[in-house]
Amino acid sequence: MTYLEKEIRSQPEVVEKLLRLEAKNILKIADSLKRADIQTVFVVARGSSDNAGLYGKYLFGSRNRLVTTLATPSLFTLYKRPPNLKGCLILAISQSGASDDLCQVVAEGKRQGSRAVVITNTIKSPLAGLADDVISLHAGPERSVAATKTYTAQLMALAMLSAGLSGRARDQDALQKVVEFQRQALKDSAAISAMAQRYRYMERLAVIGRGYNYATAFELSLKLKELAYLTAEPSSSADFRHGPIAIVEQGYPVLLIAPKGKTLADMRQLVESLEARRAELLIISDDRKILSRARTGLPIKPGLPEWLSPLVSVIPGQLFSMYLAAARDCPLDKPRGLSKVTSTK
Amino acid sequence: MTYLEKEIRSQPEVVEKLLRLEAKNILKIADSLKRADIQTVFVVARGSSDNAGLYGKYLFGSRNRLVTTLATPSLFTLYKRPPNLKGCLILAISQSGASDDLCQVVAEGKRQGSRAVVITNTIKSPLAGLADDVISLHAGPERSVAATKTYTAQLMALAMLSAGLSGRARDQDALQKVVEFQRQALKDSAAISAMAQRYRYMERLAVIGRGYNYATAFELSLKLKELAYLTAEPSSSADFRHGPIAIVEQGYPVLLIAPKGKTLADMRQLVESLEARRAELLIISDDRKILSRARTGLPIKPGLPEWLSPLVSVIPGQLFSMYLAAARDCPLDKPRGLSKVTSTK
C-alpha cells in the first residue's frame, strides 16, 4: 500500500488522537484569546494549509463573528511593507513548520506586538519556536508529498479552536461525531476506484463548493493537480456564474461538493444550469436528491452539521484523486517535480 | 468593431476622465477616512470587480498599512451569520451596482455602524444608494459582457484612493503617467493578433502573477475563460510551486505577468523551473531579459512604478484573449451562457 493510501485511511485515527490529546491545550488557548481583544484573524499558510485557512475564514467569520483574512506573504518577504497588525491574531498553519516565508510573517507579527498561534505537525520547528501558543496535529510523519491526513487534522484543529471560542457545549459534542463519519466515508473506496476509470482521459475540470466547502473545492482541486496532473479549477458556485461557466459545454466535467445545509439550494440551482449545458456532473453529497442528478455520485453519510462537513466531504474526493492518479499511471507518493517542503520567498 | 474591442481601446480615455472628474471627490473621501479609525478594509465584489479587490488587498496592505480582506458574501446571504465589522471600512466594487448579495453585505455593514464606500459605474444603483460615499467610474455603459474598461477604471479608483490615503505627492504624479503607458500598450495589437493564432487549439493553461499582479493573473484567467472558453488556472508563483507545477509537462502553456519590481527575481526563478520542464512560456513584461525567455513575448513599455503596473500589464492580456477568442470563432460581445449582470445569493 502506498503512503498516500495509508495516510488517507489513517484520517479517522489521526482526528481521534487530536481530539484526545489537544482538547485541553486548545481550550486553554481559546480562553486566553477570549480575554485578548482580537478583532481580526490573520491566517498565514501555503498549499493545503492555505486551503485549511480558507475553511477557517468561514468558520471564524460565521461561528465566532471574527473577520478573517488570508495573508499576502509577499508584502512581508518581497515588498518589506507589511500592514499594521494591531488587533490581529496571527494564525500560522503549516505541516512542516519549516517555510521561511511563514516565519517572516509571524516574526513581523511578534515585532508588532501581536499574539501568534501556530498549528503544525512539527512542534520542534522554526515556526513553532516563534509562536505564543502551538497546536500540535499529532498526525505522525506525513510521507506522501500530497497532504491528506494533515489537512483534515488542520481542519479539526481549527474546528476545535472555533468551538473553544464559542463555548457552546453542543459544538464540543458535534466534534466527537466526525471520526465515525470519516470511517464511513472510507468504506466506499472500492466503488470509487471503479468509478475513477471513466475519467482516465479527462484533462480538465471545474471543482465547485460554497461556504464551508469552498475550502474543499480548493483542496480537491489541488489534489487533482498534484496527483493526477489535471487542470482543475476551483470556484464557488457564485463566482462560477460570473464568467467561468462559459467554458461548460456538453460533457465538460464539473465536480460539486454539495452537502446538506445552507448552501445546498444554491448548488441545486447551479446543477440545473449545468444540466442545461449537458455537463458531466460528479457530486459529493449526503443529499439523495442532488446525488440522483450526478453521472458519478460520491455519497457521504448524512447527519453531520454543515460546519463540520468539510472534514468528511473531502475524503471521497481524496480517494477519487488517488484512484484516478493510479488509473493514469502517475506516481502516487512523489508526484513529478514536487518535494514535501516547498521553499518560497 | 465589436463593443469588446472598442471598450479595450477606450481604456486610456476612461482612465484619463476618471483622473480628471473624480480626483477631488476621492481626496475628500480619503481625508475623512484618515480621520476615522479604520483598522481593516473589507472588500466586497464579484467577478472582475473581485479581481480589482485583490489588487486593493496588496495596495492598501503595502502602501497604506491596512489589513484588507475579501468578503465571503455567503456568510451574510446564506448563513445569515455575518462577522463583527467594527473598525472595518466596507468597500464595495461593482460595475452595475445591482447585485443583491453585495447590497446585503453593505446593508449589514451600515446596520453595524461601519463606514461604506462604493466604487461603481452606475451611481443611480441600489448599491450606491446604501453607501456613505460613492466613487463613480465615469466609464460610460459597458456593452460587452466581459469587463475590460471598468476593470482598469476600478484599479485606477483604488490607486487614487490609496494615493489619497498616503498623501504622498509623488504618488499623485505617478497616477498621471498611467494613461500614456496604456496608450503604448494598445499599439501592439496587430502583433498580438498574429501571435494569438498559434494558440487556436490550446485547451488549458496556467496564468501566474505575484504581488500587485496576482490580481492580473486572476483577471486574465477570467478573460480567457469567458471569451475563449479555456480552462485557465490563476496562481501566484509561490502557490504554483506548492503542487500545481506538477501539471507542467513539455509544451504546457504558462502565461506569466512579470513586470519589473520586487517580484521579478521570483518570477525569473519560476521561469527557470518551467524551462526545465519545457513549458511553453507566454510572458507579459517590461523587462527585456525575461521577455527573451518567452516563446510568445508580450512587451509593455518600461518605466511605470510596480504598484501601478496592473493598470497596463492587463492590456496585452485582454488583447490576446480577444484575438484568441476570435481565432476560435467565439462570440466576442456575448459569450455563451453569460449575461452582464449576474444574480447571486
Side-chain angles (χ1 to χ4, degrees):
Chain A
M1 201 187 281
T2 58
Y3 287 120
L4 178 66
E5 184 164 359
K6 270 186 217 156
E7 289 165 3
I8 289 175
R9 294 197 181 282
S10 74
Q11 291 177 103
E13 201 182 308
V14 168
V15 163
E16 193 167 46
K17 196 170 165 193
L18 178 60
L19 278 163
R20 205 171 59 236
L21 297 182
E22 283 292 302
K24 261 195 197 160
N25 180 39
I26 291 177
L27 282 178
K28 204 189 75 196
I29 295 170
D31 277 342
S32 83
L33 290 177
K34 276 191 264 186
R35 286 191 303 272
D37 188 27
I38 305 291
Q39 297 284 324
T40 303
V41 182
F42 193 84
V43 175
V44 52
R46 286 279 183 206
S48 286
S49 307
D50 203 34
N51 298 336
L54 199 50
Y55 171 62
K57 189 168 175 176
Y58 286 83
L59 194 64
F60 297 127
S62 68
R63 303 188 64 82
N64 311 104
R65 306 207 60 208
L66 288 163
V67 169
T68 302
T69 185
L70 303 184
T72 46
S74 66
L75 297 190
F76 297 75
T77 57
L78 300 180
Y79 293 105
K80 316 267 184 215
R81 298 177 89 157
N84 181 343
L85 299 167
K86 196 184 135 195
C88 289
L89 166 69
I90 314 296
L91 181 60
I93 312 173
S94 170
Q95 190 282 128
S96 69
S99 301
D100 183 52
D101 54 349
L102 305 198
C103 288
Q104 287 190 53
V105 175
V106 174
E108 173 64 23
K110 292 307 303 166
R111 211 189 54 76
Q112 291 191 28
S114 296
R115 179 81 174 265
V117 173
V118 167
I119 298 176
T120 182
N121 201 28
T122 319
I123 49 170
K124 288 189 179 170
S125 61
L127 191 64
L130 291 166
D132 296 292
D133 300 285
V134 178
I135 296 174
S136 166
L137 297 175
H138 302 283
E142 192 166 53
R143 294 211 162 84
S144 162
V145 167
T148 53
K149 64 176 181 176
T150 57
Y151 174 71
T152 44
Q154 287 165 349
L155 297 190
M156 181 48 96
L158 292 166
M160 290 165 78
L161 187 59
S162 173
L165 288 168
S166 83
R168 286 184 289 263
R170 69 163 188 277
D171 289 355
Q172 295 296 336
D173 295 343
L175 293 175
Q176 303 301 325
K177 288 189 192 170
V178 170
V179 174
E180 185 44 38
F181 282 82
Q182 288 189 325
R183 286 219 169 92
Q184 197 63 39
L186 286 164
K187 284 189 184 154
D188 292 328
S189 61
I192 295 173
S193 170
M195 287 189 279
Q197 302 308 310
R198 175 176 172 86
Y199 301 96
R200 165 65 181 92
Y201 287 99
M202 172 167 70
E203 291 207 324
R204 50 182 189 159
L205 79 163
V207 186
I208 298 175
R210 194 150 185 220
Y212 295 115
N213 280 289
Y214 187 47
T216 314
F218 274 74
E219 177 58 10
L220 290 181
S221 214
L222 183 54
K223 291 309 102 171
L224 289 161
K225 286 174 205 167
E226 292 179 312
L227 292 170
Y229 309 151
L230 284 160
T231 304
E233 201 223 316
S235 172
S236 84
S237 44
D239 292 325
F240 197 66
R241 290 186 188 100
H242 275 264
I245 199 169
I247 313 170
V248 178
E249 57 196 355
Q250 184 175 356
Y252 194 91
V254 182
L255 169 62
L256 297 114
I257 304 104
K260 283 180 184 163
K262 302 281 186 197
T263 54
L264 183 58
D266 182 60
M267 294 298 274
R268 223 181 255 142
Q269 255 185 26
L270 183 64
V271 162
E272 277 170 33
S273 309
L274 294 170
E275 280 176 341
R277 289 167 173 77
R278 305 174 71 188
E280 162 110 8
L281 302 181
L282 301 90
I283 303 180
I284 299 174
S285 182
D286 54 0
D287 179 79
R288 273 194 196 180
K289 261 191 176 167
I290 202 167
L291 281 168
S292 73
R293 317 285 281 266
R295 188 65 171 83
T296 294
L298 300 156
I300 50 178
K301 186 182 152 182
L304 195 65
E306 187 189 358
W307 67 282
L308 291 169
S309 65
L311 280 131
V312 176
S313 62
V314 76
I315 291 180
Q318 291 170 334
L319 289 168
F320 179 79
S321 305
M322 177 182 78
Y323 288 122
L324 182 57
R328 293 160 74 94
D329 296 328
C330 302
L332 299 187
D333 283 331
K334 187 151 183 353
R336 66 180 175 212
L338 298 185
S339 53
K340 188 68 192 165
V341 178
T342 309
S343 153
T344 43
K345 272 180 198 148
Chain B
M1 200 185 281
T2 58
Y3 286 121
L4 178 67
E5 184 164 359
K6 271 185 215 156
E7 289 165 4
I8 289 174
R9 294 196 181 282
S10 74
Q11 290 177 103
E13 200 183 309
V14 168
V15 163
E16 193 167 45
K17 194 169 165 193
L18 177 60
L19 277 162
R20 203 171 61 236
L21 298 182
E22 283 292 303
K24 261 197 197 161
N25 180 38
I26 292 177
L27 281 178
K28 203 189 75 195
I29 295 170
D31 277 342
S32 84
L33 290 177
K34 276 192 264 186
R35 286 192 302 273
D37 188 26
I38 305 292
Q39 297 285 324
T40 304
V41 183
F42 193 84
V43 175
V44 52
R46 287 280 182 205
S48 286
S49 308
D50 203 34
N51 298 336
L54 200 50
Y55 171 62
K57 190 169 174 175
Y58 285 82
L59 194 64
F60 297 126
S62 68
R63 303 188 65 82
N64 311 103
R65 305 206 61 209
L66 288 163
V67 168
T68 302
T69 185
L70 303 184
T72 45
S74 65
L75 297 189
F76 298 74
T77 57
L78 300 181
Y79 294 105
K80 316 266 184 216
R81 298 177 89 158
N84 181 342
L85 298 167
K86 196 184 135 195
C88 289
L89 167 70
I90 313 297
L91 181 60
I93 311 173
S94 170
Q95 190 280 126
S96 69
S99 302
D100 183 53
D101 53 350
L102 305 199
C103 288
Q104 285 188 53
V105 175
V106 174
E108 173 64 23
K110 291 308 304 166
R111 211 189 52 76
Q112 291 191 29
S114 296
R115 180 80 174 266
V117 173
V118 167
I119 297 176
T120 182
N121 200 28
T122 319
I123 49 169
K124 287 190 180 170
S125 61
L127 192 63
L130 292 165
D132 295 294
D133 301 285
V134 178
I135 296 174
S136 167
L137 297 175
H138 302 284
E142 191 166 52
R143 295 214 161 81
S144 162
V145 167
T148 54
K149 65 176 180 176
T150 56
Y151 174 72
T152 45
Q154 287 165 350
L155 297 190
M156 181 48 95
L158 292 166
M160 289 166 79
L161 187 59
S162 173
L165 289 168
S166 84
R168 285 184 290 263
R170 69 163 188 278
D171 288 356
Q172 294 295 337
D173 295 344
L175 293 175
Q176 304 300 325
K177 289 190 193 170
V178 169
V179 173
E180 186 44 40
F181 281 82
Q182 288 188 326
R183 287 220 168 93
Q184 197 63 40
L186 286 163
K187 284 190 185 154
D188 291 328
S189 61
I192 295 174
S193 169
M195 288 189 279
Q197 302 308 311
R198 176 176 171 85
Y199 301 96
R200 164 65 181 90
Y201 286 100
M202 172 167 70
E203 291 207 325
R204 50 182 189 158
L205 80 163
V207 186
I208 297 175
R210 193 147 186 223
Y212 295 115
N213 280 289
Y214 187 47
T216 314
F218 275 74
E219 177 58 11
L220 290 181
S221 216
L222 182 54
K223 291 309 102 171
L224 289 161
K225 286 174 205 167
E226 292 179 312
L227 292 170
Y229 309 152
L230 285 159
T231 305
E233 201 222 319
S235 172
S236 85
S237 45
D239 292 326
F240 198 66
R241 292 187 186 97
H242 275 264
I245 199 169
I247 312 170
V248 178
E249 58 196 355
Q250 184 177 354
Y252 194 92
V254 182
L255 169 61
L256 298 113
I257 303 104
K260 282 181 185 163
K262 302 281 186 197
T263 54
L264 183 58
D266 182 60
M267 294 297 274
R268 226 183 252 141
Q269 257 185 25
L270 183 65
V271 162
E272 278 170 31
S273 310
L274 293 170
E275 280 175 343
R277 290 168 173 77
R278 305 174 71 188
E280 161 111 7
L281 301 182
L282 301 90
I283 303 180
I284 298 173
S285 182
D286 54 1
D287 179 78
R288 274 195 196 178
K289 262 191 175 166
I290 202 166
L291 280 168
S292 72
R293 317 286 281 268
R295 187 68 171 83
T296 294
L298 299 156
I300 49 178
K301 186 182 155 182
L304 196 65
E306 188 190 357
W307 66 283
L308 290 169
S309 65
L311 280 131
V312 176
S313 63
V314 75
I315 291 179
Q318 291 170 335
L319 290 168
F320 180 79
S321 305
M322 177 182 78
Y323 289 122
L324 183 55
R328 294 160 74 93
D329 296 328
C330 302
L332 298 186
D333 283 332
K334 187 152 183 351
R336 68 182 173 209
L338 297 185
S339 52
K340 188 68 192 164
V341 179
T342 309
S343 152
T344 44
K345 273 178 197 148

